[in-house]
Amino acid sequence: MKIQLGGVWTKVKGKLQILLLALYTTYGRRSSLLGWNMDPSESEEEYYALTSQLREAGITVEAGLRLAVSDDAPGIHAALLNTWPSVHHQQCHWHILQRVRTKIAHPDHEQAMLKDIRNVLQAKNGADGMTQAKQCIASWAEKEPPATDASASLSGMHSLS
């Protein structure tokens, strides 16, 4: 089972709030809302409240939870570690690509660099992904240093423990 966690910023009665969402996503890209909280920030405490509600509702490793996908919002990693220490946490591929895209200095490099990063993100296993990530970073380090720094999370998936 894979869940996605994230937030959408909105104004509620004139105050900026974030709607924290948890979605169950099948590998066929269908999603169902599992839970949500309206909070003032994306802190560890707010995400922990949401993940704790999910755990209490039966979203557990024993029930099949294997992967949590998110952006790199503050607090998300710590909340996941406290709630499900053995679940893998993967950064959202779209967010990784957007972060790198904003750092590419030379427009003529954009398509090639993003293609290389997509290939890393689509690796068949962790070992292949790490090898491809090292090669990708080495090939772009001199041409696009800021974008290469932004791609430091290219391995994409890591154990929370």
Side-chain angles (χ1 to χ4, degrees):
M1 173 189 304
K2 173 175 92 170
I3 63 170
Q4 289 182 272
L5 299 166
V8 178
W9 286 96
T10 187
K11 279 195 173 182
V12 177
K13 296 183 181 178
K15 293 176 98 176
L16 197 57
Q17 297 274 301
I18 187 158
L19 176 62
L20 300 180
L21 300 166
L23 302 171
Y24 165 70
T25 306
T26 66
Y27 291 95
R29 298 184 187 246
R30 298 187 72 149
S31 298
S32 301
L33 182 65
L34 291 172
W36 61 274
N37 285 343
M38 184 68 75
D39 292 300
S41 73
E42 289 187 272
S43 73
E44 176 184 345
E45 292 78 19
E46 276 86 9
Y47 272 110
Y48 183 68
L50 179 58
T51 57
S52 294
Q53 290 171 1
L54 297 174
R55 183 184 59 221
E56 290 168 15
I59 308 297
T60 63
V61 172
E62 296 77 20
L65 179 61
R66 299 288 177 261
L67 177 64
V69 178
S70 73
D71 61 9
D72 58 351
I76 234 173
H77 183 81
L80 289 168
L81 179 60
N82 285 324
T83 309
W84 302 294
S86 64
V87 168
H88 289 281
H89 179 208
Q90 176 179 314
Q91 285 192 15
C92 169
H93 292 180
W94 184 86
H95 282 94
I96 291 171
L97 290 167
Q98 292 307 308
R99 185 172 53 245
V100 172
R101 176 177 276 132
T102 65
K103 302 291 184 182
I104 295 174
H106 304 287
D108 53 319
H109 292 166
E110 182 175 330
Q111 292 304 314
M113 186 172 190
L114 293 178
K115 180 181 178 188
D116 288 350
I117 291 170
R118 280 187 199 97
N119 288 336
V120 171
L121 295 173
Q122 294 171 359
K124 296 202 184 309
N125 59 56
D128 288 349
M130 291 304 294
T131 300
Q132 290 176 7
K134 288 176 186 174
Q135 291 170 349
C136 178
I137 289 169
S139 72
W140 288 103
E142 287 186 33
K143 295 180 266 190
E144 290 288 347
T148 304
D149 291 344
S151 67
S153 63
L154 264 184
S155 59
M157 187 181 298
H158 54 277
S159 175
L160 290 174
S161 50

